[in-house]
Amino acid sequence: MTPQSPLTPTISDAKGHELRAQALLSKMTLEEKIGQMSQVTGGSWHLPQDIQEGKVGSVINEVNVETVNELQRVAMEESRLGIPLLIGRDVIHGFKTIFPIPLGQAASWNPERIKEGAKIAAVEAASAGVNWTFAPMIDITRDPRWGRIAESLGEDPYLCGELGAAMVAGFQSDDLDNKGSIAACAKHLAGYGAVESGMDYNTVNIPENELRNVYLRPFKKALDAGVATFMSSFSDLNGVPASGNEFLMKQVLRKEWDFKGFVVSDWESIKELSVHGYTANDKESALCALSVGIDMEMASTTYADHLATLLEENKIKLHEVDTMVLNVLTLKFKLGLFENPYTNPNEFPELVNEKHLQAAKLSAQEGCVLLKNDHQTLPLSKQTLNSLAVIGPLADDGYEQMGTWVFDGESRHSHTCLQALHDHVGDEVDIRFVRAMETSRSKSQHEFEQAVEIAQQSDAVVMFVGEESILSGEAHCRAEINLPGNQAELIEAIAATGKPIVLVVLAGRPLTLAPVIDKVDAVLYAWHPGTMAGPAIAELLFGLVSPSGKLPVSFPRAVGQIPIYYSKKNTGRPPSWDNITHIDDIDGAAVQTSLGMSSFHLDAGFTPLFPFGFGLSYSQFEYSDIALSSNRIVLGDTLNITAQLRNTGAVEAQEVVQLYIRDLVGNVTRPIKELKGFEKIRLKPGESQTVSFSLHTDDLAFYNQKMQLVTELGDFHLWIGGSSEAELFTEFEIVETL
Ligand code: NOJ
């Protein structure tokens, strides 16, 4: 197959791509231009003809190698100008080798690990001809009811920004033209993670100040990381649907941030502008989306159907269309598609190869968070255990462990927990298994007796509970986020045996564990860990590796606490342990007028069950000797911070050192803590290390009431530690002059 580009690739730098795109644009008919702005779904019988006629710029959801190559051949050889196709796919956490759901990857707090996962996903997807993924999803969310929290990188703008940038770097590498690199897409601009009541597609209201200080930050970071494309959100924002939102798309993205790539709508989100009641019909929707600069329409056809008429009617200008087509063509040149439109899987590493599996295992392992470990129940030991009961619906289910957004992953590649435990202990420990529930949602207690029986006969129990993959993801939201079905009852029945119980939770979101947490001895939160769940978890359970994951989201005690997040505001009545009352402690007889008069819930207090940044280890870490380069710095200067970290436990382990600050007084109220740095460090027992961070005063900037990004003079608190409840404390001041 010889690619027949209309233009010779003489200039290869960024400017060159644009010049080539411009030269090509000058030859295009209006119909061909509108074609480049249209993304259509694979599979339809008339697709080849549409491509031939220049009506298609991108195809979504076609990953059959022969078909993809044939579509590219039609585009290159049979369409008038030989323009290759963007082949888009949701490669969210792996292609064939499935990595943990993004929330699970975020729990690793390890940008390098995340970058590696995205790189492997890109290489595998590219071998199938995919050249564009719709990831990373960098919507900040503070609502675990929202099913798409699984696809998110958590509640914090800094963490999400750093990890999202790492994903972009993994997908795109340092040059989109590199073999195995694919274009990334930062989505969903913006505010989608704040849908009311955590219900997908719902209304979003975020004041501009909060939008800029929290929700937009990771998007800016993705832009700085060179992300090729953005996707507009399904939701409306302050009354204006994102796909027609001039403030987001023009003011912020193009004007303030000077974004040069292209924006794709979400699936039919342009057509849905009229369903929102923002436009009256498809024609108005096309006009609206075009006017704010949505360069490509996904799935619906309002552009194809109406742009020509809108031009005739002079409602839009040709130069607007041209700019958008240029944006699309430039990416195609950057990806090197005119020279290499086809894929040849033989030129790529084998899918699901050993190296990819090892990377997936490490990612899963580093994302597991040890939430509880009483009496050092974990790690288990082959020396002391003769028998182990393995119970639960998620112990041996290769499909469910992969989680949401797995279009291409196959359960036949999955290594389940039960298999891995068998592999690990061989015949040294007698493993008995009862699934006990068909799914996590089952109400039947039919197999409970059998489960209790094997628990009674064993030295310890490991229960694999949680949620199937279908309970999280797009449009899969929950109003209650407890363990579904009869899992709590199952735990209770097993707890009654008095055997040590380790709970391994596989889930797409934080669950409310309060009803069961006291009934078990240890809890390992594994999210949906992907293909290599089994080996990753077995090695953790048996202590070959110490857990090192930290929560990227706060875990509520009860649904009623949502949204609950560590970087809250102080309020005028901050709660503390001595100014709150529990509902059970209200004196029934007396007329009690004050129950604390602070910001708390009578039945849930004011803290989460597990805070952001929290996660235990098999070792212990001691933080000490916090020091600043100076406790007074001038605007424009950098503050250097050091502290000592020492592994005081008995095993080698990794710790995520976290740096938080508080800006005490601001033109708008500031959070009581804000993450400003983190580093994952591995130490042997007894070993210590100096941890260093540096903070430029720009890193402390926030949007004020006038929406100016400013760093204000004044006092700051600073903490370093292993969670958002870090205690090692110091303070500093930003001054005008020294
Ligand atoms: C809808 C989702 O919201 C978006 O994230 C995804 O990339 C597209 N569908 C394409 O599948």
Side-chain angles (χ1 to χ4, degrees):
M1 286 180 279
T2 329
Q4 293 178 354
S5 167
L7 298 152
T8 4
T10 44
I11 319 172
S12 60
D13 59 8
K15 198 73 204 146
H17 299 312
E18 264 174 60
L19 289 176
R20 291 178 72 193
Q22 256 155 9
L24 181 52
L25 181 79
S26 68
K27 301 181 178 172
M28 291 171 79
T29 64
L30 178 62
E31 201 182 23
E32 284 164 342
K33 289 178 183 174
I34 297 171
Q36 288 305 308
M37 299 165 72
S38 307
Q39 182 179 60
V40 305
T41 48
S44 75
W45 61 268
H46 52 84
L47 184 55
Q49 190 182 333
D50 290 347
I51 294 172
Q52 198 177 46
E53 291 170 7
K55 291 181 179 161
V56 180
S58 172
V59 172
I60 180 170
N61 294 344
E62 181 54 76
V63 292
N64 176 286
V65 174
E66 285 74 38
T67 314
V68 169
N69 277 340
E70 172 56 13
L71 295 179
Q72 291 287 27
R73 190 197 63 75
V74 174
M76 297 301 291
E77 295 179 7
E78 294 181 11
S79 76
R80 196 177 71 90
L81 292 171
I83 306 176
L85 299 162
L86 286 170
I87 304 291
R89 183 69 157 176
D90 289 286
V91 182
I92 306 297
H93 52 112
F95 184 68
K96 286 283 176 197
T97 307
I98 300 299
F99 284 72
I101 52 170
L103 192 60
Q105 291 189 49
S108 74
W109 291 57
N110 187 340
E112 280 310 311
R113 192 69 63 230
I114 285 172
K115 183 174 164 190
E116 184 185 33
K119 193 176 168 57
I120 289 171
V123 167
E124 290 195 351
S127 81
V130 172
N131 47 41
W132 184 20
T133 178
F134 305 114
M137 190 188 97
I138 47 177
D139 294 304
I140 294 297
T141 186
R142 292 162 172 188
D143 197 329
R145 293 171 298 184
W146 190 45
R148 297 193 81 167
I149 194 170
E151 197 185 343
S152 84
L153 298 169
E155 74 181 39
D156 182 67
Y158 181 79
L159 181 66
C160 176
E162 295 297 308
L163 303 184
M167 272 195 187
V168 171
F171 287 130
Q172 298 192 164
S173 77
D174 52 4
D175 189 342
L176 282 168
D177 195 7
N178 287 343
K179 197 172 189 65
S181 296
I182 61 177
C185 181
K187 68 187 191 186
H188 306 83
L189 197 66
Y192 186 33
V195 281
E196 283 181 359
S197 77
M199 194 167 65
D200 218 357
Y201 318 127
N202 208 4
T203 306
V204 174
N205 280 301
I206 307 173
E208 184 179 338
N209 190 269
E210 180 81 351
L211 187 72
R212 288 181 181 275
N213 279 322
V214 177
Y215 292 86
L216 290 178
R217 282 193 184 229
F219 287 93
K220 176 63 167 54
K221 185 84 200 184
L223 178 117
D224 294 340
V227 73
T229 64
F230 280 79
M231 185 187 293
S232 61
S233 164
F234 279 131
S235 47
D236 69 346
L237 174 67
N238 304 329
V240 183
S243 300
N245 196 308
E246 187 171 348
F247 169 74
L248 284 176
M249 301 302 160
K250 282 196 133 166
Q251 173 64 28
V252 175
L253 187 60
R254 300 287 183 184
K255 215 164 146 207
E256 295 178 21
W257 295 355
D258 197 25
F259 176 57
K260 298 283 191 225
F262 83 80
V263 181
V264 63
S265 76
D266 203 341
W267 189 278
E268 297 197 339
S269 70
I270 298 183
K271 192 176 173 60
E272 287 172 14
L273 288 172
S274 64
V275 187
H276 276 280
Y278 189 66
T279 58
N281 50 44
D282 286 357
K283 189 173 165 193
E284 276 190 18
S285 299
L287 170 62
C288 177
L290 184 119
S291 309
V292 305
I294 308 289
D295 305 89
M296 184 181 278
E297 176 169 19
M298 182 188 286
S300 48
T301 58
T302 71
Y303 279 6
D305 298 340
H306 301 289
L307 288 190
T309 320
L310 287 166
L311 268 165
E312 266 166 39
E313 292 170 356
N314 218 11
K315 295 207 168 106
I316 57 173
K317 300 273 177 288
L318 188 58
H319 73 82
E320 293 178 285
V321 171
D322 284 353
T323 305
M324 295 175 164
V325 177
L326 271 182
N327 291 341
V328 174
L329 293 178
T330 304
L331 178 61
K332 292 186 177 185
F333 280 110
K334 281 188 185 164
L335 281 163
L337 290 179
F338 285 86
E339 291 72 44
N340 293 303
Y342 306 110
T343 182
N344 177 358
N346 295 330
E347 292 171 4
F348 285 86
E350 200 192 329
L351 296 169
V352 204
N353 64 44
E354 199 44 43
K355 191 172 145 237
H356 294 185
L357 288 171
Q358 279 311 309
K361 183 185 87 175
L362 291 178
S363 181
Q365 210 153 52
E366 286 204 26
C368 284
V369 187
L370 183 63
L371 294 178
K372 175 176 178 176
N373 193 16
D374 283 0
H375 332 293
Q376 296 187 340
T377 306
L378 285 175
L380 304 172
S381 155
K382 285 195 259 186
Q383 276 70 52
T384 53
L385 279 186
N386 288 319
S387 53
L388 183 67
V390 174
I391 296 171
L394 294 167
D396 195 27
D397 199 317
Y399 180 77
E400 302 304 345
Q401 71 189 41
M402 291 193 288
T404 183
W405 278 124
V406 186
F407 282 152
D408 302 291
E410 296 173 56
S411 51
R412 71 189 165 99
H413 297 306
S414 286
H415 298 244
T416 73
C417 298
L418 182 66
Q419 287 161 5
L421 285 170
H422 273 298
D423 291 348
H424 182 70
V425 301
D427 50 18
E428 290 176 70
V429 179
D430 185 9
I431 292 184
R432 296 101 189 231
F433 169 60
V434 173
R435 187 175 174 120
M437 296 170 68
E438 198 188 333
T439 73
S440 72
R441 291 156 285 131
S442 305
K443 296 278 168 55
S444 156
Q445 301 200 352
H446 196 63
E447 282 185 47
F448 278 24
E449 211 174 297
Q450 231 183 314
V452 169
E453 211 167 281
I454 63 156
Q456 269 160 349
Q457 292 161 1
S458 304
D459 297 332
V461 185
V462 184
M463 299 185 71
F464 291 88
V465 297
E467 292 180 318
E468 279 86 37
S469 54
I470 202 170
L471 294 184
S472 57
E474 186 179 339
H476 297 178
C477 305
R478 298 181 59 199
E480 295 289 351
I481 53 165
N482 48 6
L483 282 167
N486 265 345
Q487 293 183 100
E489 286 77 0
L490 178 63
I491 293 169
E492 202 155 326
I494 303 299
T497 65
K499 298 289 175 166
I501 301 178
V502 176
L503 207 63
V504 179
V505 186
L506 284 81
R509 57 163 62 77
L511 296 173
T512 42
L513 297 176
V516 297
I517 194 85
D518 294 334
K519 305 205 162 84
V520 299
D521 301 278
V523 179
L524 185 70
Y525 215 85
W527 319 97
H528 285 134
T531 305
M532 290 298 277
I537 292 173
E539 289 181 9
L540 288 171
L541 292 178
F542 278 89
L544 275 66
V545 181
S546 172
S548 64
K550 300 276 184 174
L551 295 180
V553 274
S554 309
F555 270 45
R557 296 171 191 278
V559 164
Q561 288 183 299
I562 298 170
I564 184 164
Y565 49 94
Y566 83 95
S567 57
K568 69 192 285 286
K569 302 291 184 68
N570 204 36
T571 80
R573 302 250 174 123
S576 66
W577 291 110
D578 50 17
N579 69 4
I580 67 165
T581 308
H582 190 267
I583 195 162
D584 296 338
D585 300 331
I586 299 174
D587 183 349
V591 181
Q592 214 168 337
T593 50
S594 169
L595 300 175
M597 305 304 282
S598 70
S599 183
F600 73 102
H601 289 115
L602 281 171
D603 44 5
F606 63 98
T607 55
L609 186 62
F610 297 107
F612 176 83
F614 173 79
L616 301 169
S617 159
Y618 294 155
S619 204
Q620 285 87 45
F621 290 95
E622 189 183 272
Y623 287 85
S624 66
D625 303 322
I626 191 164
L628 302 179
S629 49
S630 164
N631 50 15
R632 298 179 83 227
I633 54 165
V634 177
L635 274 184
D637 276 1
T638 297
L639 179 68
N640 295 313
I641 307 128
T642 55
Q644 286 300 314
L645 176 72
R646 187 175 157 79
N647 181 344
T648 56
V651 294
E652 178 175 326
Q654 295 192 85
E655 167 73 337
V656 180
V657 180
Q658 302 161 43
L659 168 75
Y660 296 88
I661 61 103
R662 176 174 178 190
D663 184 349
L664 293 194
V665 180
N667 172 267
V668 293
T669 54
R670 309 303 305 131
I672 56 170
K673 261 182 196 167
E674 286 179 86
L675 183 71
K676 289 291 175 187
F678 61 90
E679 197 184 339
K680 196 158 190 173
I681 290 174
R682 179 187 296 278
L683 290 180
K684 294 199 163 57
E687 209 179 357
S688 38
Q689 188 176 320
T690 305
V691 193
S692 313
F693 294 99
S694 57
L695 275 181
H696 188 273
T697 53
D698 286 353
D699 298 330
L700 303 167
F702 62 92
Y703 287 89
N704 64 14
Q705 291 180 48
K706 293 185 178 153
M707 304 306 152
Q708 298 154 327
L709 185 62
V710 290
T711 305
E712 292 183 355
L713 304 179
D715 293 323
F716 288 77
H717 285 173
L718 188 151
W719 298 261
I720 288 185
S723 84
S724 56
E725 292 181 349
E727 284 176 351
L728 191 64
F729 172 80
T730 185
E731 41 200 328
F732 67 95
E733 190 184 355
I734 300 185
V735 293
E736 207 153 4
T737 52
L738 283 177

